[in-house]
Amino acid sequence: MLTVNPKYIVDDKGEKTAAVLTIKEYHLLIKRLEDLEDILEMDLIVESATDFRSYQEIRLDLQKGRRL
């Protein structure tokens, strides 16, 4: 679980206008967002894929081509 403890900057009316994170929190948040983007992209690829090959089939092809 990602834990962030933002510090808020408020205007003269007391309304929050910005949030400040530590560098560690910022980097963790960015990493989680990048991971989420990767997961969402993979979900789209899987949903649109029409042809799957088994691991064994791919392995044989790689061995035949001497790439494995």
Side-chain angles (χ1 to χ4, degrees), residues 1-2 26-45:
M1 181 83 183
L2 178 64
Y26 170 78
H27 286 295
L28 286 171
L29 188 59
I30 294 300
K31 174 77 170 103
R32 292 286 176 98
L33 287 171
E34 289 171 349
D35 290 347
L36 180 59
E37 285 178 333
D38 292 344
I39 291 167
L40 293 172
E41 186 176 341
M42 183 60 76
D43 285 347
L44 286 174
I45 291 168

Side-chain angles (χ1 to χ4, degrees), residues 16-31:
K16 295 175 184 174
T17 59
V20 179
L21 302 174
T22 66
I23 292 297
K24 182 178 179 179
E25 291 171 333
Y26 170 78
H27 286 295
L28 286 171
L29 188 59
I30 294 300
K31 174 77 170 103

